[in-house]
């Protein structure tokens, strides 16, 4: 009986197997309905591997895991942290302009500038004040123009060279020698965005895209004496158009030798400076792409900028990487177009030859970021090749062998005769950290054609010396540097002549002595 039952059980099992088990599959294979789904669908095509992602990938931001292309929660968080970091770095690179002028406005106001007062460097701008690559040769006057209350008049004296840029550092107008008044002096009128009131005759009229605008003027010394230029600069007047019939008194604060800062931050507070501009100015003053990048990290017009702990950490790290990137662009530039001479180390600040940093319809992003990290003031007069007009600049960060300049070593720059500057030339030394004038025992860290007693060689050429101590008998042509401190030098040519543009004249390299 037991044998019969065993055979009957085996037969039943065989019958079940014949019904439910797919031929050729092991006994633990999926059910028959699962096998149907495993068949190749009729609409299937060969999927290129470039469209898919493996289940696990090792990347610079860690191991990323996916289930049939869908990231797990940890992977998604890594991706978002990386996205926020990348956007923050891009914002740091692309909005140096706004942060720079936010810092400039704060600096001007901290030193006593206001709607009724301009800052005046009556005895030149020395190294006590922190300004991006300012010069030691001209008398500066600077003011912040606020158009929130309506149009503003700027009465400019003759014989000055100046400009106005808006809060996003867009060029507004030249003033004085390079402007429409040609250095004769004139009245300029600045009209705010959206203004529909009457605009009277008798003014050179500009319509900036922003309410906040920066004015900078330069006056020229006479035989090295800045006093006449300072006296002339005091004729500047700024007042509301509504009070043109009876302008209020205008004042000047002499800030030569005053310690104050106008340079943008390079830590996470940089983004707070940019936020100031976004909140105060019309969206139309910038562009959708830039505002989109800023919005992605929490800077949105009309909304508080309040990053949480996670985002504050990301912003701090992004500022550090962004600053490192900019310093690499400046001091170890990889763009061959930056070189003025293919076999030399003098470089231009206007790669592409445009003050808008465009070339053949392409925006030159790195040169633009680099410029606003290093300098202030943007105008076509600085970049266009117009012999006898405006100014030209060349910077040098390394010696003749490509080594960074060492404040503990002695160097020489030879300027051949026939220096191509109709008005004057100068060499000024700057701090590699601050990009402001190098602070040493010398009040003015520069040498130029306006310096009293400047020594020239018999053929009219000039040798300028740099180092911690003056070469014997050559102190008049010496600029002091500091051991352990990095520095760089900028050559300025005011009223550059054909020899500069044709490159028939060329400054010597920075040679170690």
């Amino acid at each position: 009986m037991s044998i019969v039952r065993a055979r009957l059980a085996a037969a039943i099992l065989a019958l079940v197997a014949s019904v439910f088990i797919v031929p050729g599959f092991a006994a633990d294979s999926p059910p028959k309905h699962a096998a149907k789904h495993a068949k190749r669908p009729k609409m299937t095509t060969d999927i290129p591997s470039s469209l898919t992602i493996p289940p696990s990938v090792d990347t610079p931001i860690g191991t990323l895991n996916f289930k049939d292309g869908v990231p797990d929660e940890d992977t998604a968080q890594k991706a978002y942290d990386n996205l926020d970091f990348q956007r923050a770095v891009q914002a740091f690179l692309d909005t140096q302009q706004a942060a720079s002028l936010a810092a400039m406005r704060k600096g001007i106001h901290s030193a006593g500038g206001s709607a009724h007062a301009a800052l005046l460097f009556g005895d030149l701008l020395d190294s006590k004040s922190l300004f991006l690559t300012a010069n030691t040769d001209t008398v500066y006057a600077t003011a912040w123009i606020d158009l929130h209350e309506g149009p503003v008049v700027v009465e400019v004296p003759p014989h000055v060279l100046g400009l106005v840029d808006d809060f996003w550092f867009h060029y507004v107008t030249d003033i004085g020698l390079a402007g429409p008044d040609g250095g004769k002096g004139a009245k300029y009128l600045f009209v705010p965005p959206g203004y529909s009131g009457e605009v009277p005759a008798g003014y050179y009229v500009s319509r900036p895209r922003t309410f906040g605008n920066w004015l900078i003027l330069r006056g020229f010394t006479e035989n090295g004496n800045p006093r006449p230029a300072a006296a002339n600069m005091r004729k500047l007047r700024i007042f509301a158009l509504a009070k043109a019939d009876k302008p209020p008194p205008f004042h000047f604060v002499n800030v030569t030798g005053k310690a104050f800062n106008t340079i943008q931050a390079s830590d996470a507070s940089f983004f707070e400076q940019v936020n100031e501009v976004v909140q105060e100015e019309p969206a139309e003053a910038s562009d959708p792409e830039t505002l989109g990048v800023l919005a992605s990290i929490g800077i949105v017009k009309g909304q508080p900028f309040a990053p949480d702990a996670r985002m504050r950490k990301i912003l701090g790290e992004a500022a550090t990487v962004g600053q490192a990137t900019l310093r690499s662009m400046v001091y170890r530039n990889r763009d061959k177009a930056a070189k003025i001479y293919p076999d030399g180390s003098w470089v231009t600040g206007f790669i592409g030859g445009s003050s808008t940093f465009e070339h053949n319809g392409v925006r030159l992003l790195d040169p633009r970021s680099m410029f606003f990290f290093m300098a202030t003031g943007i105008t076509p007069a600085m970049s266009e090749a117009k012999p006898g007009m405006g100014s030209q600049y060349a910077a040098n960060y390394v010696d003749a062998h490509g080594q960074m300049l060492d404040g503990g070593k002695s160097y020489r720059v030879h300027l051949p005769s026939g220096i191509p500057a109709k008005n004057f030339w100068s060499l000024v030394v700057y701090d590699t950290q601050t990009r402001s004038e190098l602070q040493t025992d010398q009040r003015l860290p520069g040498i130029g054609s306006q310096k009293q007693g400047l020594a020239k060689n018999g053929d009219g050429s000039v040798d300028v010396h740099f180092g911690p101590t003056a070469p014997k008998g050559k102190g008049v042509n010496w600029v002091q540097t500091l051991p352990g401190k990095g520095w760089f030098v900028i050559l300025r040519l005011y009223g550059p002549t054909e020899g500069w543009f044709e490159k028939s004249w060329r400054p010597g390299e920075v040679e170690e002595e």
Side-chain angles (χ1 to χ4, degrees), residues 337-508:
K339 287 194 171 187
I340 298 174
Y341 313 100
D343 59 343
S345 54
W346 291 97
V347 297
T348 178
F350 290 99
I351 297 173
S354 166
S355 60
T356 58
F357 303 97
E358 295 179 44
H359 185 66
N360 293 333
V362 176
R363 177 77 71 194
L364 305 179
L365 297 177
D366 293 354
R368 182 183 64 179
S369 299
M370 180 181 69
F371 179 89
F372 289 109
F373 182 69
M374 294 295 290
T376 55
I378 195 74
T379 166
M382 291 180 174
S383 62
E384 293 178 350
K386 292 184 176 181
M389 298 292 293
S391 50
Q392 289 288 306
Y393 306 82
N396 208 326
Y397 307 103
V398 298
D399 66 17
H401 302 289
Q403 300 301 307
M404 299 305 295
L405 300 175
D406 184 340
K409 295 181 179 180
S410 296
Y411 302 88
R412 176 183 68 101
V413 170
H414 178 71
L415 301 177
S417 60
I419 299 172
K422 183 178 72 174
N423 299 324
F424 68 91
W425 62 267
S426 72
L427 286 165
V428 181
V429 168
Y430 300 95
D431 184 327
T432 51
Q433 282 280 17
T434 65
R435 296 92 69 206
S436 187
E437 292 177 14
L438 184 66
Q439 296 179 333
T440 66
D441 294 329
Q442 289 181 324
R443 190 175 76 86
L444 301 172
I447 295 288
S449 56
Q450 299 184 112
K451 183 172 182 177
Q452 293 293 305
L454 180 73
K456 295 183 179 181
N457 301 319
D459 62 354
S461 64
V462 177
D463 290 315
V464 179
H465 304 271
F466 308 87
T469 57
K472 187 176 181 180
K474 301 177 181 179
V476 70
N477 285 24
W478 166 67
V479 182
Q480 185 181 14
T481 60
L482 296 176
K485 194 83 192 73
W487 62 277
F488 64 94
V489 64
I490 293 180
L491 170 66
R492 287 177 169 82
L493 303 172
Y494 283 87
T497 56
E498 287 82 356
W500 175 254
F501 298 107
E502 296 171 356
K503 299 183 180 179
S504 58
W505 182 93
R506 172 177 174 173

Side-chain angles (χ1 to χ4, degrees), residues 168 209 277-288 291 301:
W168 278 101
R209 288 184 272 182
V277 183
V278 170
Q279 299 305 328
E280 292 184 28
E281 299 298 348
E284 296 77 17
S286 183
D287 61 86
L291 295 179
K301 185 173 178 61

Side-chain angles (χ1 to χ4, degrees), residues 30-92:
K32 188 175 182 180
H33 65 85
K36 290 181 180 180
H37 286 287
K39 291 182 178 179
R40 185 179 177 90
K42 292 181 179 179
M43 299 302 294
T44 298
T45 60
D46 292 331
I47 305 298
S49 61
S50 61
L51 304 186
T52 63
I53 194 165
S56 183
V57 185
D58 290 328
T59 75
I61 64 172
T63 300
L64 307 181
N65 299 306
F66 303 86
K67 185 175 182 179
D68 199 18
V70 179
D72 62 20
E73 290 186 6
D74 180 65
T75 294
Q77 188 60 58
K78 289 176 181 176
Y80 280 126
D81 287 347
N82 180 60
L83 177 62
D84 291 342
F85 174 76
Q86 288 193 37
R87 292 270 170 77
V89 171
Q90 196 62 49
F92 188 90

